[in-house]
Amino acid sequence: MNLPIYQVDAFSDELFGGNPAAIVPLEKWLPDDLMQKIAAENNLAETAFFVPTQKGFHLRWFTPTVEIPLCGHATLASAFLLYNKLGYSADAVTFETTSGDLIVRRKDDGFIMDFPTSKAHPVATPDGLDQIIDAKVNGVLTCEQSIFSLVLTDSEEDVIKAKPDFNTLMKIAPGNFILTAPSEKYDFVSRVFVPEHGIPEDPVTGSAHCVSAPYWAEKLGKTELSARQVSERGGDILCSLRGDRVDLFGKAVLYLEGRINIS
């Protein structure tokens, strides 16, 4: 078996920025355990697989350890690949996923992804969370529709300097969380930690903004938001709230293409 594979840096217009995703286009599904092994071998935050359907494409996402229900950067990378390498030319592409139909359309030199929002609500702050995250914690919110909790802190500097102790963190809660704060240059900044899914820190996370953007929209009283994920690689996301949906705008760039040889 010989399969095409591509790697795309999503939420960036420059190589080595944003969040890298591997994309494997398929004509039909591989066994789940084989797709998981490919994702583990790639050892990226996400490997996406898609197959054609009558609507568009059925899309699935795998971390190195588990299949997940929603991923923004690998969806963006998949759309970029379809339009820029695989000859897709319709005005929009529909991805059928476990989180419903996700529609992506081109805009200028980037893409707009139509994603569902997830409403977060306050919960008690676990004892010692400040010390475990190494940042002042002003509150914690959780969300039943998402794997992420929101952890609020004072400033962009607090978010950048945080050094979570994952071993201790996973013994309490939250295990997967978005550390976020207001910013002078952007409406808000964040970092995203997903140790329960084998990703200590995710560089730029579209799905996390399904949780953080609605929170900041309500907090700031606006529906158009500029966001920056201040990881080492970093990336920008423009968020536009529409009721229970959010449009996420980002760019992408192709890093590599090759073949997977499976004997």
Side-chain angles (χ1 to χ4, degrees):
M1 188 185 304
N2 191 270
L3 301 171
I5 185 170
Y6 303 83
Q7 188 169 319
V8 173
D9 290 341
F11 292 115
S12 176
D13 58 359
E14 296 181 351
L15 282 178
F16 313 117
N19 200 352
I23 312 297
V24 183
L26 300 170
E27 292 301 318
K28 61 181 181 179
W29 289 118
L30 303 172
D32 287 4
D33 64 335
L34 178 55
M35 290 191 288
Q36 187 63 73
K37 287 177 180 177
I38 291 171
E41 185 77 7
N42 291 336
N43 199 31
L44 296 171
E46 239 69 54
T47 296
F49 301 84
F50 60 73
V51 298
T53 67
Q54 288 187 338
K55 277 188 181 180
F57 299 88
H58 187 186
L59 176 64
R60 296 170 67 182
W61 313 277
F62 291 78
T63 78
T65 61
V66 67
E67 184 174 5
I68 61 168
L70 183 65
C71 177
H73 84 278
T75 302
L76 173 59
S78 297
F80 171 88
L81 183 66
L82 282 165
Y83 279 108
N84 289 279
K85 291 294 294 184
L86 302 183
Y88 190 80
S89 60
D91 292 339
V93 55
T94 298
F95 291 113
E96 299 174 61
T97 79
T98 55
S99 292
D101 288 354
L102 306 178
I103 298 173
V104 184
R105 60 188 186 275
R106 289 181 291 185
K107 181 181 179 182
D108 302 327
D109 55 348
F111 297 86
I112 295 176
M113 302 185 293
D114 177 0
F115 272 34
T117 60
S118 298
K119 180 74 172 178
H121 57 85
V123 294
T125 300
D127 292 338
L129 189 59
D130 298 69
Q131 290 76 28
I132 294 168
I133 294 178
D134 192 25
K136 180 183 177 182
V137 175
N138 293 328
V140 176
L141 297 90
T142 192
C143 180
E144 287 78 12
Q145 299 86 21
S146 172
I147 65 169
F148 296 114
S149 294
L150 274 176
V151 177
L152 310 176
T153 191
D154 280 339
S155 69
E156 182 171 349
E157 184 177 4
D158 290 337
V159 176
I160 293 171
K161 291 184 175 181
K163 297 179 180 178
D165 176 352
F166 296 115
N167 290 332
T168 306
L169 180 71
M170 292 175 67
K171 295 176 183 177
I172 57 170
N176 302 322
F177 69 98
I178 305 159
L179 184 64
T180 186
S183 167
E184 292 185 3
K185 182 177 179 180
Y186 302 90
D187 289 305
F188 67 95
V189 296
S190 64
R191 288 170 67 194
V192 175
F193 305 95
V194 203
E196 288 182 350
H197 290 173
I199 308 166
E201 181 169 3
D202 196 37
V204 192
T205 316
S207 60
H209 290 75
C210 296
V211 180
S212 55
Y215 170 82
W216 286 110
E218 183 175 348
K219 185 81 171 177
L220 301 175
K222 57 196 303 186
T223 57
E224 304 290 328
L225 300 161
S226 62
R228 173 79 178 175
Q229 201 157 320
V230 289
S231 65
E232 184 175 347
R233 292 174 67 104
D236 295 335
I237 303 178
L238 297 178
C239 311
S240 178
L241 275 294
R242 299 179 292 102
D244 62 354
R245 308 291 296 184
V246 59
D247 286 340
L248 304 175
F249 175 82
K251 301 178 182 180
V253 59
L254 180 67
Y255 171 64
L256 65 80
E257 53 185 299
R259 311 292 298 185
I260 301 173
N261 296 307
I262 299 173
S263 59

Coordinates of all heavy atoms in Angstrom, one line a residue, residues 8-93:
V8 N 1.0 20.4 6.4 CA 0.7 21.8 6.2 C 0.8 22.5 7.5 O 0.4 22.1 8.6 CB -0.8 21.9 5.7 CG1 -1.3 23.3 5.6 CG2 -0.9 21.2 4.3
D9 N 1.4 23.7 7.5 CA 1.4 24.6 8.6 C 0.2 25.5 8.6 O 0.0 26.4 7.7 CB 2.7 25.5 8.6 CG 4.0 24.7 8.9 OD1 3.8 23.5 9.5 OD2 5.1 25.1 8.6
A10 N -0.7 25.3 9.5 CA -2.0 26.0 9.6 C -2.0 27.1 10.5 O -1.3 27.1 11.5 CB -3.1 25.0 9.9
F11 N -2.8 28.1 10.2 CA -2.9 29.4 11.0 C -1.6 30.1 10.9 O -1.1 30.7 11.9 CB -3.3 29.2 12.4 CG -4.7 28.7 12.6 CD1 -5.0 27.4 13.1 CD2 -5.8 29.5 12.2 CE1 -6.3 27.0 13.2 CE2 -7.1 29.1 12.3 CZ -7.4 27.8 12.8
S12 N -1.0 30.1 9.7 CA 0.2 30.8 9.5 C 0.4 31.0 8.0 O -0.1 30.1 7.2 CB 1.5 30.1 10.0 OG 2.7 30.7 9.7
D13 N 1.0 32.1 7.5 CA 1.3 32.2 6.1 C 2.8 32.1 5.9 O 3.3 32.4 4.8 CB 0.8 33.6 5.6 CG 1.4 34.8 6.3 OD1 2.2 34.6 7.3 OD2 1.0 35.9 6.0
E14 N 3.6 31.6 6.9 CA 5.0 31.4 6.8 C 5.3 30.0 7.3 O 4.7 29.5 8.3 CB 5.8 32.4 7.6 CG 5.6 33.8 7.1 CD 6.4 34.8 7.9 OE1 7.0 34.4 9.0 OE2 6.6 36.0 7.5
L15 N 6.3 29.3 6.6 CA 6.7 28.0 7.1 C 7.3 28.1 8.5 O 7.8 29.1 8.9 CB 7.8 27.5 6.2 CG 7.4 26.9 4.8 CD1 8.6 26.5 4.0 CD2 6.5 25.7 5.1
F16 N 7.1 27.0 9.3 CA 7.6 26.9 10.6 C 6.8 27.7 11.6 O 7.2 27.9 12.8 CB 9.1 27.2 10.7 CG 9.9 26.5 9.6 CD1 10.6 27.2 8.7 CD2 9.9 25.1 9.6 CE1 11.3 26.6 7.7 CE2 10.6 24.5 8.5 CZ 11.3 25.2 7.6
G17 N 5.7 28.3 11.2 CA 4.7 29.0 12.1 C 3.5 28.2 12.2 O 3.3 27.1 11.6
G18 N 2.5 28.7 13.0 CA 1.3 28.1 13.2 C 1.4 26.7 13.8 O 2.2 26.3 14.6
N19 N 0.5 25.8 13.3 CA 0.4 24.4 13.8 C 0.5 23.4 12.7 O -0.3 23.4 11.8 CB -1.0 24.2 14.6 CG -0.9 23.1 15.5 OD1 0.0 22.3 15.6 ND2 -2.0 22.9 16.3
P20 N 1.5 22.5 12.7 CA 1.6 21.6 11.6 C 0.6 20.4 11.7 O 0.3 19.9 12.8 CB 3.0 21.0 11.8 CG 3.3 21.2 13.2 CD 2.6 22.5 13.7
A21 N 0.0 20.1 10.6 CA -0.9 18.9 10.6 C -0.5 18.0 9.4 O -0.2 18.5 8.3 CB -2.4 19.4 10.4
A22 N -0.6 16.7 9.6 CA -0.4 15.8 8.5 C -1.8 15.5 7.9 O -2.8 15.3 8.6 CB 0.3 14.5 9.0
I23 N -1.9 15.4 6.6 CA -3.1 15.1 5.9 C -2.9 13.9 5.0 O -2.0 13.9 4.2 CB -3.6 16.3 5.0 CG1 -3.5 17.6 5.8 CG2 -5.0 16.0 4.5 CD1 -4.4 17.7 7.0
V24 N -3.8 12.9 5.1 CA -3.7 11.7 4.3 C -5.1 11.6 3.5 O -6.1 11.1 4.1 CB -3.5 10.5 5.1 CG1 -3.3 9.2 4.2 CG2 -2.2 10.6 6.0
P25 N -5.1 12.0 2.3 CA -6.4 11.8 1.5 C -6.5 10.3 1.1 O -5.6 9.6 0.8 CB -6.1 12.6 0.2 CG -4.9 13.4 0.5 CD -4.1 12.7 1.5
L26 N -7.8 9.8 1.3 CA -8.1 8.4 1.0 C -9.2 8.3 0.0 O -10.1 9.1 0.0 CB -8.4 7.7 2.3 CG -7.4 7.7 3.4 CD1 -8.0 7.1 4.7 CD2 -6.2 6.8 3.1
E27 N -9.3 7.1 -0.7 CA -10.4 6.8 -1.5 C -11.5 6.0 -0.6 O -12.7 6.1 -0.9 CB -10.0 6.0 -2.7 CG -9.2 6.7 -3.7 CD -10.0 8.0 -4.2 OE1 -11.2 7.8 -4.5 OE2 -9.3 9.0 -4.4
K28 N -11.0 5.3 0.3 CA -11.9 4.6 1.3 C -11.1 4.5 2.6 O -9.9 4.6 2.7 CB -12.2 3.2 0.8 CG -11.1 2.3 0.5 CD -11.5 0.9 0.0 CE -10.4 0.0 -0.2 NZ -10.8 -1.4 -0.7
W29 N -11.9 4.2 3.7 CA -11.3 4.2 5.0 C -10.3 3.1 5.2 O -10.6 1.9 4.7 CB -12.4 4.2 6.1 CG -13.1 5.4 6.2 CD1 -14.5 5.6 6.0 CD2 -12.6 6.7 6.5 NE1 -14.8 6.9 6.2 CE2 -13.7 7.6 6.5 CE3 -11.4 7.2 6.9 CZ2 -13.6 9.0 6.8 CZ3 -11.2 8.5 7.1 CH2 -12.3 9.4 7.1
L30 N -9.2 3.3 5.9 CA -8.3 2.3 6.4 C -8.9 1.8 7.7 O -9.7 2.5 8.4 CB -6.9 2.9 6.6 CG -6.2 3.6 5.5 CD1 -5.0 4.3 5.9 CD2 -5.9 2.6 4.4
P31 N -8.4 0.7 8.2 CA -8.8 0.3 9.6 C -8.4 1.3 10.6 O -7.3 2.0 10.5 CB -8.0 -1.0 9.8 CG -7.7 -1.5 8.4 CD -7.5 -0.3 7.5
D32 N -9.2 1.5 11.6 CA -9.0 2.5 12.6 C -7.6 2.4 13.3 O -6.9 3.4 13.5 CB -10.1 2.5 13.7 CG -11.4 3.0 13.2 OD1 -11.5 3.4 12.0 OD2 -12.3 3.2 14.0
D33 N -7.2 1.1 13.6 CA -5.9 0.9 14.3 C -4.8 1.3 13.4 O -3.7 1.8 13.9 CB -5.8 -0.5 14.8 CG -5.7 -1.5 13.6 OD1 -6.3 -1.2 12.5 OD2 -5.1 -2.6 13.9
L34 N -4.9 1.2 12.1 CA -3.8 1.6 11.2 C -3.8 3.1 11.1 O -2.6 3.7 11.1 CB -4.1 1.0 9.8 CG -3.0 1.4 8.7 CD1 -1.6 1.1 9.1 CD2 -3.4 0.7 7.4
M35 N -4.9 3.8 11.0 CA -4.9 5.3 11.0 C -4.3 5.8 12.3 O -3.5 6.8 12.3 CB -6.3 5.8 10.8 CG -6.8 5.6 9.4 SD -8.3 6.5 9.0 CE -9.5 5.5 10.0
Q36 N -4.6 5.1 13.4 CA -4.0 5.6 14.7 C -2.4 5.3 14.7 O -1.7 6.2 15.2 CB -4.6 4.8 15.9 CG -4.2 5.3 17.2 CD -4.5 6.8 17.5 OE1 -5.7 7.1 17.7 NE2 -3.6 7.7 17.5
K37 N -2.0 4.2 14.1 CA -0.5 4.0 14.0 C 0.1 5.0 13.2 O 1.3 5.5 13.5 CB -0.3 2.6 13.5 CG -0.6 1.5 14.5 CD -0.4 0.1 13.9 CE -0.7 -1.0 14.8 NZ -0.6 -2.4 14.2
I38 N -0.5 5.4 12.1 CA 0.1 6.4 11.2 C 0.2 7.8 11.9 O 1.2 8.5 11.9 CB -0.8 6.6 9.9 CG1 -0.7 5.4 9.0 CG2 -0.4 7.9 9.1 CD1 -1.6 5.3 7.9
A39 N -0.9 8.1 12.7 CA -0.8 9.4 13.5 C 0.3 9.3 14.5 O 1.0 10.3 14.8 CB -2.2 9.6 14.1
A40 N 0.4 8.1 15.2 CA 1.5 8.0 16.2 C 2.9 8.1 15.5 O 3.8 8.8 16.1 CB 1.4 6.7 16.9
E41 N 3.0 7.6 14.3 CA 4.3 7.6 13.6 C 4.6 9.1 13.2 O 5.7 9.5 13.3 CB 4.2 6.7 12.4 CG 5.6 6.6 11.6 CD 6.6 5.7 12.3 OE1 6.2 5.0 13.3 OE2 7.7 5.7 11.8
N42 N 3.6 9.8 12.8 CA 3.8 11.2 12.4 C 4.1 12.1 13.6 O 4.9 13.0 13.5 CB 2.5 11.8 11.8 CG 2.2 11.2 10.4 OD1 3.1 10.7 9.7 ND2 0.9 11.2 10.0
N43 N 3.6 11.7 14.8 CA 3.9 12.4 16.0 C 3.7 13.9 16.0 O 4.4 14.7 16.5 CB 5.3 12.1 16.5 CG 5.5 12.4 18.0 OD1 4.6 12.2 18.7 ND2 6.7 12.8 18.3
L44 N 2.6 14.3 15.2 CA 2.2 15.7 15.2 C 0.9 15.8 16.1 O 0.3 14.8 16.4 CB 1.9 16.1 13.8 CG 3.0 16.2 12.8 CD1 2.5 16.4 11.4 CD2 4.0 17.2 13.2
A45 N 0.5 17.0 16.4 CA -0.7 17.2 17.2 C -1.9 16.5 16.5 O -2.7 15.9 17.2 CB -1.0 18.7 17.4
E46 N -1.9 16.6 15.2 CA -3.1 16.0 14.5 C -2.6 15.4 13.1 O -1.8 16.0 12.4 CB -4.1 17.0 14.2 CG -5.5 16.7 14.8 CD -5.4 16.8 16.3 OE1 -5.1 17.8 16.8 OE2 -5.8 15.8 16.9
T47 N -3.2 14.3 12.8 CA -3.2 13.7 11.5 C -4.6 13.6 11.0 O -5.4 13.0 11.7 CB -2.5 12.4 11.4 OG1 -1.1 12.5 11.8 CG2 -2.5 11.8 10.0
A48 N -4.9 14.2 9.9 CA -6.3 14.1 9.4 C -6.4 13.2 8.2 O -5.5 13.1 7.4 CB -6.8 15.5 8.9
F49 N -7.5 12.4 8.1 CA -7.8 11.5 7.0 C -9.2 12.0 6.5 O -10.1 12.3 7.2 CB -7.9 10.1 7.5 CG -6.6 9.6 8.1 CD1 -6.4 9.8 9.5 CD2 -5.7 8.8 7.4 CE1 -5.2 9.3 10.1 CE2 -4.6 8.3 8.0 CZ -4.3 8.6 9.4
F50 N -9.3 12.0 5.1 CA -10.6 12.2 4.6 C -10.9 11.4 3.4 O -10.0 10.9 2.7 CB -10.9 13.7 4.3 CG -9.9 14.3 3.3 CD1 -10.0 14.0 1.9 CD2 -9.0 15.3 3.7 CE1 -9.1 14.6 1.0 CE2 -8.1 15.9 2.8 CZ -8.2 15.6 1.4
V51 N -12.2 11.0 3.2 CA -12.6 10.3 2.0 C -13.8 11.1 1.3 O -14.5 11.8 2.0 CB -13.1 8.9 2.4 CG1 -12.0 8.1 3.0 CG2 -14.3 8.9 3.3
P52 N -13.9 11.0 0.0 CA -15.0 11.7 -0.7 C -16.4 11.1 -0.3 O -16.5 9.9 -0.2 CB -14.6 11.5 -2.2 CG -13.8 10.3 -2.2 CD -13.0 10.3 -0.9
T53 N -17.4 12.0 -0.3 CA -18.8 11.7 -0.1 C -19.6 12.5 -1.1 O -19.1 13.3 -1.8 CB -19.2 12.0 1.3 OG1 -19.3 13.4 1.5 CG2 -18.3 11.3 2.4
Q54 N -20.9 12.2 -1.1 CA -21.8 13.0 -2.0 C -21.8 14.5 -1.6 O -21.9 15.3 -2.5 CB -23.2 12.4 -1.9 CG -23.3 11.1 -2.6 CD -24.8 10.6 -2.7 OE1 -25.6 11.0 -2.0 NE2 -25.0 9.7 -3.7
K55 N -21.7 14.8 -0.3 CA -21.7 16.1 0.2 C -20.4 16.8 -0.1 O -20.3 18.0 -0.3 CB -22.1 16.2 1.7 CG -23.5 16.2 2.0 CD -23.6 16.4 3.5 CE -25.1 16.4 4.0 NZ -25.1 16.7 5.5
G56 N -19.4 16.1 0.1 CA -18.0 16.7 0.1 C -17.0 15.6 0.5 O -16.6 14.8 -0.3
F57 N -16.6 15.7 1.8 CA -15.6 14.7 2.3 C -16.0 14.4 3.8 O -16.4 15.3 4.6 CB -14.2 15.3 2.3 CG -13.8 15.7 0.9 CD1 -14.1 16.9 0.3 CD2 -13.1 14.7 0.1 CE1 -13.7 17.2 -1.0 CE2 -12.8 15.0 -1.2 CZ -13.1 16.3 -1.8
H58 N -15.8 13.2 4.1 CA -15.8 12.7 5.5 C -14.5 12.9 6.1 O -13.5 12.4 5.6 CB -16.3 11.3 5.6 CG -16.6 10.8 7.0 ND1 -16.9 9.5 7.3 CD2 -16.6 11.5 8.2 CE1 -17.1 9.4 8.6 NE2 -16.9 10.6 9.2
L59 N -14.4 13.6 7.2 CA -13.1 14.0 7.8 C -12.9 13.5 9.2 O -13.9 13.6 10.0 CB -12.9 15.5 7.8 CG -11.7 16.2 8.4 CD1 -10.4 15.8 7.6 CD2 -11.9 17.7 8.4
R60 N -11.8 12.9 9.5 CA -11.5 12.4 10.9 C -10.1 12.9 11.3 O -9.2 13.1 10.5 CB -11.6 10.9 10.9 CG -13.0 10.4 10.6 CD -13.0 8.9 10.4 NE -12.7 8.1 11.7 CZ -12.6 6.8 11.7 NH1 -12.8 6.1 10.6 NH2 -12.4 6.2 12.9
W61 N -9.9 13.1 12.6 CA -8.7 13.6 13.2 C -8.1 12.7 14.3 O -8.9 12.3 15.2 CB -8.9 15.0 13.8 CG -9.7 15.9 13.0 CD1 -9.2 16.8 12.0 CD2 -11.1 16.3 13.1 NE1 -10.2 17.6 11.5 CE2 -11.4 17.3 12.2 CE3 -12.1 15.8 14.0 CZ2 -12.7 17.8 12.0 CZ3 -13.4 16.3 13.8 CH2 -13.7 17.3 12.9
F62 N -6.8 12.5 14.2 CA -6.2 11.6 15.2 C -5.0 12.3 15.8 O -4.1 12.9 15.1 CB -5.7 10.3 14.6 CG -6.8 9.4 14.2 CD1 -7.5 9.6 13.0 CD2 -7.1 8.3 14.9 CE1 -8.5 8.7 12.6 CE2 -8.1 7.4 14.6 CZ -8.8 7.6 13.4
T63 N -4.9 12.4 17.1 CA -3.6 12.8 17.8 C -2.7 11.5 17.8 O -3.1 10.5 17.3 CB -3.9 13.2 19.3 OG1 -4.1 12.0 20.1 CG2 -5.1 14.1 19.4
P64 N -1.5 11.6 18.4 CA -0.7 10.4 18.4 C -1.3 9.3 19.3 O -0.8 8.2 19.2 CB 0.6 11.0 19.0 CG 0.7 12.4 18.6 CD -0.7 12.9 18.7
T65 N -2.3 9.6 20.1 CA -2.8 8.6 21.0 C -4.3 8.3 20.9 O -4.7 7.2 21.3 CB -2.5 9.0 22.5 OG1 -3.2 10.2 22.8 CG2 -1.0 9.1 22.7
V66 N -5.1 9.2 20.2 CA -6.5 9.0 20.3 C -7.2 9.8 19.1 O -6.7 10.8 18.7 CB -7.1 9.5 21.6 CG1 -6.9 11.0 21.8 CG2 -8.5 9.0 21.8
E67 N -8.3 9.3 18.7 CA -9.2 10.0 17.7 C -9.9 11.1 18.5 O -10.4 10.8 19.6 CB -10.1 9.1 17.0 CG -11.0 9.9 15.9 CD -11.8 9.0 15.1 OE1 -11.9 7.7 15.4 OE2 -12.5 9.4 14.1
I68 N -10.1 12.3 18.0 CA -10.8 13.4 18.7 C -12.0 13.9 17.9 O -12.1 13.6 16.7 CB -9.8 14.6 19.0 CG1 -9.3 15.2 17.7 CG2 -8.7 14.1 19.9 CD1 -8.6 16.5 17.9
P69 N -12.9 14.5 18.6 CA -14.2 14.9 17.9 C -14.1 16.2 17.1 O -15.0 16.4 16.3 CB -15.1 15.1 19.1 CG -14.3 15.5 20.2 CD -13.0 14.7 20.0
L70 N -13.1 17.0 17.3 CA -13.1 18.3 16.6 C -11.7 18.8 16.5 O -11.0 18.8 17.6 CB -14.0 19.3 17.3 CG -14.1 20.7 16.6 CD1 -14.8 20.6 15.2 CD2 -14.9 21.7 17.4
C71 N -11.2 19.3 15.4 CA -9.9 19.9 15.2 C -10.0 21.0 14.2 O -10.4 20.8 13.1 CB -8.9 18.8 14.8 SG -7.2 19.6 14.6
G72 N -9.5 22.2 14.6 CA -9.6 23.3 13.7 C -8.4 23.4 12.7 O -8.6 23.5 11.5
H73 N -7.2 23.2 13.2 CA -6.0 23.5 12.3 C -5.9 22.4 11.3 O -5.5 22.7 10.1 CB -4.7 23.6 13.2 CG -4.1 22.4 13.6 ND1 -4.4 21.6 14.6 CD2 -3.0 21.7 13.0 CE1 -3.6 20.6 14.8 NE2 -2.8 20.6 13.8
A74 N -6.3 21.1 11.6 CA -6.2 20.1 10.6 C -7.4 20.2 9.6 O -7.3 19.7 8.4 CB -6.2 18.7 11.3
T75 N -8.5 20.8 10.0 CA -9.6 21.1 9.0 C -9.1 22.2 8.1 O -9.3 22.1 6.9 CB -10.8 21.6 9.8 OG1 -11.2 20.5 10.7 CG2 -12.0 21.8 8.8
L76 N -8.5 23.2 8.6 CA -8.0 24.3 7.8 C -6.9 23.7 6.8 O -6.9 24.0 5.6 CB -7.4 25.4 8.6 CG -6.6 26.5 8.0 CD1 -7.5 27.3 7.0 CD2 -6.0 27.5 9.0
A77 N -6.0 22.9 7.3 CA -5.0 22.3 6.5 C -5.6 21.4 5.4 O -5.1 21.4 4.2 CB -4.1 21.5 7.3
S78 N -6.7 20.7 5.7 CA -7.3 19.8 4.7 C -8.0 20.7 3.6 O -7.9 20.3 2.4 CB -8.4 19.0 5.4 OG -7.8 18.1 6.3
A79 N -8.6 21.8 4.0 CA -9.2 22.6 3.0 C -8.1 23.3 2.1 O -8.3 23.3 0.9 CB -10.0 23.7 3.6
F80 N -7.1 23.7 2.7 CA -5.9 24.3 2.0 C -5.4 23.3 0.9 O -5.2 23.6 -0.2 CB -4.8 24.7 2.9 CG -3.5 25.1 2.3 CD1 -3.3 26.4 1.8 CD2 -2.6 24.1 2.0 CE1 -2.1 26.7 1.2 CE2 -1.4 24.5 1.4 CZ -1.2 25.8 1.0
L81 N -5.2 22.0 1.4 CA -4.7 21.0 0.5 C -5.7 20.7 -0.7 O -5.2 20.6 -1.8 CB -4.5 19.7 1.3 CG -3.9 18.6 0.5 CD1 -2.5 18.9 0.1 CD2 -3.9 17.3 1.4
L82 N -7.0 20.6 -0.4 CA -7.9 20.4 -1.5 C -7.9 21.5 -2.5 O -7.9 21.2 -3.7 CB -9.3 20.3 -0.9 CG -9.7 18.9 -0.2 CD1 -10.9 19.1 0.7 CD2 -9.9 17.8 -1.2
Y83 N -7.9 22.7 -2.1 CA -7.9 23.8 -3.0 C -6.6 24.1 -3.7 O -6.5 24.5 -4.9 CB -8.3 25.1 -2.3 CG -9.8 25.2 -2.1 CD1 -10.4 25.1 -0.9 CD2 -10.7 25.5 -3.2 CE1 -11.7 25.2 -0.6 CE2 -12.0 25.6 -3.0 CZ -12.6 25.5 -1.7 OH -13.9 25.5 -1.5
N84 N -5.5 23.8 -3.1 CA -4.2 24.2 -3.6 C -3.4 23.1 -4.2 O -2.4 23.3 -5.0 CB -3.3 24.9 -2.5 CG -3.9 26.2 -2.2 OD1 -3.6 27.2 -2.8 ND2 -4.6 26.3 -1.1
K85 N -3.7 21.8 -3.9 CA -3.0 20.7 -4.5 C -3.8 19.6 -5.2 O -3.3 18.9 -6.0 CB -2.2 20.0 -3.4 CG -1.0 20.8 -2.8 CD 0.1 21.1 -3.8 CE 0.8 19.8 -4.2 NZ 1.9 20.0 -5.2
L86 N -5.1 19.5 -4.8 CA -5.9 18.4 -5.2 C -7.0 18.8 -6.2 O -7.8 18.0 -6.6 CB -6.5 17.6 -4.0 CG -5.5 17.1 -3.0 CD1 -6.2 16.3 -1.9 CD2 -4.4 16.2 -3.7
G87 N -7.0 20.0 -6.7 CA -7.8 20.5 -7.8 C -9.3 20.8 -7.4 O -10.1 20.9 -8.3
Y88 N -9.6 20.9 -6.1 CA -11.0 21.2 -5.7 C -11.2 22.7 -6.1 O -10.4 23.6 -5.8 CB -11.1 21.0 -4.2 CG -12.6 21.0 -3.7 CD1 -13.4 20.0 -3.9 CD2 -13.0 22.2 -3.1 CE1 -14.7 20.0 -3.5 CE2 -14.4 22.2 -2.7 CZ -15.2 21.2 -2.9 OH -16.5 21.2 -2.4
S89 N -12.4 23.0 -6.6 CA -12.7 24.3 -7.1 C -14.0 24.9 -6.7 O -14.3 26.0 -7.1 CB -12.5 24.4 -8.6 OG -13.4 23.5 -9.2
A90 N -14.9 24.2 -6.0 CA -16.2 24.7 -5.6 C -16.0 25.9 -4.7 O -14.9 26.1 -4.1 CB -17.0 23.6 -5.0
D91 N -17.1 26.7 -4.5 CA -17.0 27.9 -3.6 C -16.7 27.5 -2.2 O -16.1 28.3 -1.5 CB -18.3 28.7 -3.7 CG -18.5 29.3 -5.1 OD1 -17.5 29.5 -5.8 OD2 -19.6 29.6 -5.4
A92 N -17.2 26.4 -1.7 CA -17.1 25.9 -0.4 C -16.9 24.4 -0.3 O -17.3 23.7 -1.3 CB -18.2 26.4 0.5
V93 N -16.3 23.9 0.7 CA -16.2 22.5 0.9 C -16.9 22.1 2.2 O -16.7 22.8 3.2 CB -14.7 22.0 0.9 CG1 -13.9 22.8 1.9 CG2 -14.6 20.5 1.1

